[in-house]
Amino acid sequence: PEPLSDLPRGKVGRDYNESVVPATGVRSTRYNITKGKLPPGLSLDRLGRITGIPAQAGKFRFTVQAARQGKANFFQQMTLIVDPGDLVVNVSPPSINVTKAGSTGERVTFTVVQPTVPIAETITSSRGEFHLNGRVLGFYNRPLSINLNQQSPSATESITVPPSVVKNAQGAGQGIIRYRRTFTSRNVGRGTGEAEVNLRSAAAGDLKINRLRLYFEQNNRPIIAVETNSRDLKGAIDIHYNGSGSLKGYWQVDRRIIQRIQKNLFYGKILTLKTPDVPPLPTYSEGAHRLMFIITEPAAAAAAIDFPQAIYHVEAKQAEIVVPLELSSPDNFAELSSQGATFTWSEVRKAQTYQLAFFSPDSDKPIFTAYTQKGSYQLPAKVIELNFSEGQTYQWQVRGFNSEGIVAAQSTKRNFSLVPKTSYVPGQILFMVDDTEAGRALIATIADKHGLEVVEQTVLKSLQKIMVLCTTNEAVMKTADLLRQEPGLYHSQPNIIFSTLNQSDPLRSMQAIDKLLELEALHQRVTGKGVRVAVVDTGVDIKHQDLQDRVIEHRNFIRGSPYRAEIHGTAIAGLIAGSRNEFGIIGIAPDAKLLAYRACSQSSPVAPRGTCDSVSIAKALDQAISSQAQVINLSLGTVEQDLLIAKLIEQGARQQITFVAPVGNEAGQKSISFPASHPQVVGVAGLGQNNNPFPNRSIALQADAVAPAEEVFTTIPENRHNFFKGTSFSAATITGIIALSLEKNNGTPSQEYPQFDENHIWTKQVATYMGL
């Protein structure tokens, strides 16, 4: 037998690409390892190529079996030596400023830029050092560690410069010293990060704001009453400060910026700023208005100051005739997203400016007021965060002002409440470990170390991992970050809340998807026969006449809540696969097999909205993958990117499963909801009346597919039917169409989904997709 060649040395964090070949160079041999192991990060293919990126230093011995056709197998022990890699650490910011009186709380971040790949190790630095001309002046005696097993590994600390270090530097007549940390590691060499420390005098120290006084010039007080359209109202602010530096800020009235300010300040002064002459303080609308001066730089002031506010009250006169102003949307008692909402009304000819006011139910004083010259206003998420609370009921009203600033039109008040777009289950966190004895033992160790209480453990067969749900009394996001640094844990995150993406709509005229799709003719060719469709949603009514022979499996994945029939899941299931039985409706794929997985619970006895979390959805997806579903409908969403759910989607996609989800329902949303935003999910937008894109044109153009989203008639519990609205039902429509395509194409769906296009009729796009 021909001896195998020696292997060149490798280096941690560097690409390795070498071949195991006989000394004579014959390459027809097939190779595998029968004993020992390669360094972590490397693998041997059948042609004898060893490739990858070594993640551990050391000497590794293994036995290679070489087999050639017609000849006896040959075994040879080999050795591969992996040397420690290079460690390069950058520091940000590269320089910091301190006064000669000493400094506390200066933040610097150490970021590892080499090795460039994650390595399962944590590097440590026992202390920081202050250097001057090669001499150590002092120490910052706190250890710092960086977990290399992540993208862009880094650690941030708030350093304190000891007074003795400042004194020694001053005695040497130096104004610049260096702060340095040296990190050590088993698998990579030593690495040093260094930042420059500039010592400055008190007069040249960083700008610090000591006190603010805000008032009106007319009465030298922070409150005043003025008449409508007053032109001489003037606000002023006295800024007491020390140090030197740039001051940036802006004047705002009712959270609308009217002027930006930038000044270079020097030590030992009081700065007085006044509101601009142009534009003047707005006094064209009656009511209370809040004047503030917001400082954005220096950053320390922006973060620490509770900025004062001055109130001026404007009394407005009404016209002799005030006409009614009609509100359009949202409807009375609507549930709106806390991520933003749009309010619309009918414009009035006499009105040039509109005031939109929001009230608490028990108060006539607005909690927020906005002005616009259009018949609509987008209430930003930031305004909602500062002024409103989720779950509370509020009122809104619109008034129109004529060119003289007098009220000429006024609406009645409407009610609305805010529901969370997304959030986390309070105090809950989840992580994953290997489905092994070692993994199970690690659970108790991690729980004890971080003060967690284990609620439940679930084996996710598709990932070969154990999902562990815990409760914690600490901050959830902070705990999740700490858990990510633990070796042996593959993932940690909050338990994210999802919601079904539907909107209720009153019964109007009968609509039928079968007319749009001409289902009677279509079902003569394909019916989705045998295709397995999983519905991950609220509970499906398995006794409904339109569904009882379609549901082949139903399961409940919600802790402490039994399986029950609920509105949203039943509606989705009926739209996808309602039976051909001369009762009720007919589904798009009436011979498909439904897997009904209850991962969400209905929020109200009479409303279709459902909520769920990462844990219940993960269980349902794992079961759907194990049950060999071909299509999984997820008519739900959140604005968060749930990494656990993403891993399950990617595993299912590797098994040729198609995932379908709605893009969202908010008219003002800028991005697609998760999981529709995942690249391996078919994200579905909606079509409203007159083929208008739903929720908006921008989102529809980003979607993978589009389908009707209004007046969708489908099943609800107890053998009943009703109309629905929302991209949940657009997604279900596409799921049904994919099921037909799977039957027609022998298990391989077409990828050319019907998309939003003003120039092409949707039904023709569906026919093209189906190849009809």
Side-chain angles (χ1 to χ4, degrees):
E2 298 169 339
L4 304 180
S5 62
D6 292 333
L7 290 170
R9 301 169 78 104
K11 200 169 190 179
V12 171
R14 294 287 184 89
D15 284 321
Y16 191 85
N17 188 348
E18 299 292 341
S19 294
V20 176
V21 298
T24 57
V26 178
R27 294 180 177 271
S28 60
T29 307
R30 296 294 180 263
Y31 302 89
N32 63 78
I33 294 176
T34 61
K35 186 178 180 181
K37 63 179 182 179
L38 287 169
L42 298 184
S43 61
L44 172 70
D45 65 18
R46 292 178 61 84
L47 299 178
R49 291 188 297 263
I50 297 179
T51 58
I53 300 176
Q56 183 177 326
K59 180 183 290 187
F60 298 85
R61 293 186 175 89
F62 50 93
T63 300
V64 175
Q65 178 190 35
R68 294 181 62 186
Q69 187 172 4
K71 294 188 178 184
N73 292 347
F74 171 60
F75 298 85
Q76 179 171 322
Q77 187 180 55
M78 305 195 75
T79 300
L80 174 54
I81 298 175
V82 178
D83 297 321
D86 301 318
L87 179 62
V88 179
V89 182
N90 284 353
V91 184
S92 177
S95 65
I96 58 176
N97 299 322
V98 301
T99 66
K100 290 185 179 179
S103 175
T104 60
E106 301 295 339
R107 295 176 64 84
V108 293
T109 299
F110 294 85
T111 302
V112 176
V113 296
Q114 190 171 324
T116 59
V117 296
I119 295 176
E121 184 184 356
T122 298
I123 61 174
T124 59
S125 169
S126 60
R127 65 185 183 183
E129 299 177 344
F130 296 96
H131 287 252
L132 175 62
N133 298 329
R135 182 166 59 97
V136 178
L137 296 182
F139 304 99
Y140 183 57
N141 289 311
R142 289 193 180 183
L144 188 67
S145 61
I146 302 177
N147 181 9
L148 299 182
N149 195 21
Q150 56 184 321
Q151 297 294 331
S152 299
S154 64
T156 299
E157 64 174 339
S158 296
I159 65 171
T160 298
V161 182
S164 60
V165 170
V166 177
K167 182 178 179 180
N168 288 339
Q170 187 176 11
Q174 296 294 320
I176 299 177
I177 60 176
R178 315 290 298 182
Y179 178 68
R180 180 185 303 166
R181 271 192 182 272
T182 300
F183 293 86
T184 58
S185 159
R186 298 189 311 272
N187 292 300
V188 291
R190 295 162 63 91
T192 299
E194 188 174 272
E196 184 179 84
V197 180
N198 298 304
L199 302 176
R200 304 164 65 181
S201 66
D206 289 338
L207 176 65
K208 290 181 173 57
I209 306 300
N210 299 322
R211 186 165 64 90
L212 300 174
R213 178 175 176 263
L214 183 63
Y215 54 94
F216 294 103
E217 278 197 328
Q218 282 80 355
N219 62 359
N220 201 33
R221 297 180 58 202
I223 188 169
I224 196 171
V226 296
E227 296 181 354
T228 305
N229 294 325
S230 174
R231 294 291 181 181
D232 57 354
L233 182 62
K234 202 80 170 174
I237 186 168
D238 294 336
I239 302 175
H240 298 253
Y241 68 94
N242 58 28
S244 304
S246 174
L247 173 76
K248 294 182 181 180
Y250 55 84
W251 286 105
Q252 72 170 27
V253 175
D254 297 333
R255 302 194 185 280
R256 290 180 297 121
I257 298 174
I258 61 173
Q259 186 187 43
R260 294 188 181 275
I261 300 291
Q262 180 172 353
K263 298 280 187 180
N264 290 318
L265 304 185
F266 300 95
Y267 179 73
K269 292 186 178 180
I270 299 176
L271 175 68
T272 298
L273 299 175
K274 298 181 180 180
T275 55
D277 295 327
V278 180
L281 293 179
T283 57
Y284 53 81
S285 60
E286 60 89 18
H289 300 275
R290 289 178 291 183
L291 172 67
M292 298 182 70
F293 184 78
I294 305 297
I295 295 174
T296 58
E297 189 178 313
I305 294 177
D306 185 12
F307 296 109
Q309 61 181 356
I311 306 295
Y312 65 95
H313 193 277
V314 179
E315 296 182 358
K317 298 179 181 180
Q318 289 193 347
E320 294 183 3
I321 299 177
V322 179
V323 301
L325 191 151
E326 296 295 328
L327 302 179
S328 300
S329 65
D331 295 332
N332 201 15
F333 294 103
E335 291 184 342
L336 306 182
S337 168
S338 59
Q339 298 300 305
T342 300
F343 296 81
T344 63
W345 54 89
S346 299
E347 297 187 19
V348 177
R349 183 174 57 85
K350 294 183 178 180
Q352 290 192 353
T353 303
Y354 297 95
Q355 177 203 65
L356 176 61
F358 298 90
F359 307 87
S360 296
D362 56 352
S363 175
D364 290 329
K365 182 180 180 180
I367 58 176
F368 179 72
T369 305
Y371 297 88
T372 178
Q373 293 182 329
K374 302 184 298 183
S376 65
Y377 178 75
Q378 173 76 34
L379 186 62
K382 189 64 176 178
V383 172
I384 294 177
E385 177 185 346
L386 294 172
N387 297 280
F388 300 86
S389 299
E390 293 176 352
Q392 299 296 317
T393 299
Y394 298 95
Q395 295 178 322
W396 63 289
Q397 183 183 42
V398 178
R399 285 189 286 183
F401 293 82
N402 61 22
S403 59
E404 298 177 356
I406 298 175
V407 177
Q410 181 170 303
S411 74
T412 58
K413 290 182 179 179
R414 279 189 183 178
N415 302 275
F416 69 93
S417 59
L418 292 171
V419 296
K421 180 70 175 179
T422 187
S423 59
Y424 311 123
V425 179
Q428 288 192 1
I429 194 167
L430 56 91
F431 60 86
M432 290 196 300
V433 297
D434 283 327
D435 184 13
T436 62
E437 290 300 323
R440 291 183 175 87
L442 183 60
I443 294 173
T445 302
I446 293 298
D448 182 65
K449 178 178 179 180
H450 293 276
L452 306 175
E453 182 175 346
V454 177
V455 176
E456 65 173 273
Q457 304 175 34
T458 305
V459 176
L460 300 180
K461 296 179 182 179
S462 59
L463 298 179
Q464 297 182 334
K465 297 289 186 292
I466 301 174
M467 176 177 64
V468 184
L469 177 65
C470 301
T471 58
T472 177
N473 293 324
E474 302 298 327
V476 170
M477 294 302 296
K478 179 181 178 181
T479 304
D481 288 339
L482 292 174
L483 291 179
R484 292 189 190 103
Q485 301 177 30
E486 292 287 352
L489 263 65
Y490 291 90
H491 181 73
S492 69
Q493 67 172 63
N495 192 9
I496 297 174
I497 295 176
F498 290 71
S499 62
T500 55
L501 295 179
N502 59 276
Q503 292 186 348
S504 299
D505 207 26
L507 187 65
R508 291 184 280 186
S509 60
M510 294 290 291
Q511 82 84 36
I513 194 71
D514 61 309
K515 292 181 181 179
L516 277 175
L517 294 178
E518 299 181 358
L519 289 181
E520 184 175 353
L522 183 59
H523 288 164
Q524 294 177 9
R525 305 184 185 186
V526 285
T527 60
K529 186 174 182 179
V531 177
R532 298 168 73 87
V533 180
V535 176
V536 177
D537 212 292
T538 61
V540 174
D541 186 354
I542 59 176
K543 296 181 180 179
H544 197 291
Q545 284 184 243
D546 278 336
L547 296 170
Q548 59 188 4
D549 61 343
R550 299 270 49 85
V551 179
I552 63 169
E553 180 184 347
H554 71 282
R555 297 204 181 195
N556 180 60
F557 296 101
I558 301 178
R559 303 177 301 279
S561 174
Y563 188 95
R564 58 170 61 99
E566 292 165 306
I567 297 172
H568 194 270
T570 304
I572 294 298
L575 184 58
I576 294 171
S579 294
R580 295 179 295 179
N581 56 5
E582 298 183 357
F583 175 83
I585 67 164
I586 184 170
I588 296 170
D591 287 335
K593 297 179 179 180
L594 290 178
L595 310 172
Y597 295 147
R598 182 175 183 256
C600 308
S601 59
Q602 191 166 297
S603 304
S604 163
V606 296
R609 184 175 185 270
T611 58
C612 28
D613 58 34
S614 302
V615 172
S616 61
I617 296 173
K619 292 179 183 178
L621 288 179
D622 185 57
Q623 182 61 46
I625 294 170
S626 300
S627 297
Q628 299 180 330
Q630 294 167 271
V631 192
I632 300 179
N633 188 92
L634 293 160
S635 285
L636 45 83
T638 175
V639 298
E640 299 290 336
Q641 299 296 309
D642 192 313
L643 299 182
L644 171 60
I645 303 306
K647 288 180 183 291
L648 287 159
I649 288 171
E650 289 156 11
Q651 179 62 30
R654 284 191 285 269
Q655 299 181 26
Q656 309 305 312
I657 299 173
T658 302
F659 293 83
V660 185
V663 298
N665 288 333
E666 298 298 329
Q669 74 183 76
K670 304 295 184 183
S671 58
I672 293 176
S673 299
F674 180 87
S677 60
H678 193 283
Q680 290 172 307
V681 175
V682 180
V684 185
L687 286 175
Q689 295 179 347
N690 301 319
N691 280 343
N692 292 325
F694 190 88
N696 59 55
R697 188 175 187 276
S698 174
I699 293 296
L701 288 172
Q702 297 176 54
D704 299 304
V706 67
E710 293 186 345
E711 296 185 2
V712 180
F713 194 63
T714 182
T715 48
I716 60 174
E718 300 180 358
N719 287 329
R720 294 178 298 156
H721 304 80
N722 208 339
F723 290 95
F724 291 91
K725 175 181 178 180
T727 53
S728 272
F729 306 98
S730 306
T733 298
I734 294 298
T735 295
I737 293 172
I738 290 173
L740 297 179
S741 176
L742 282 165
E743 180 195 359
K744 182 177 183 295
N745 297 309
N746 297 319
T748 303
S750 172
Q751 301 296 314
E752 298 298 325
Y753 305 108
Q755 298 178 332
F756 175 65
D757 188 336
E758 295 98 333
N759 301 317
H760 293 87
I761 299 174
W762 181 76
T763 52
K764 289 185 177 180
Q765 290 194 67
V766 174
T768 301
Y769 172 80
M770 294 298 301
L772 302 176

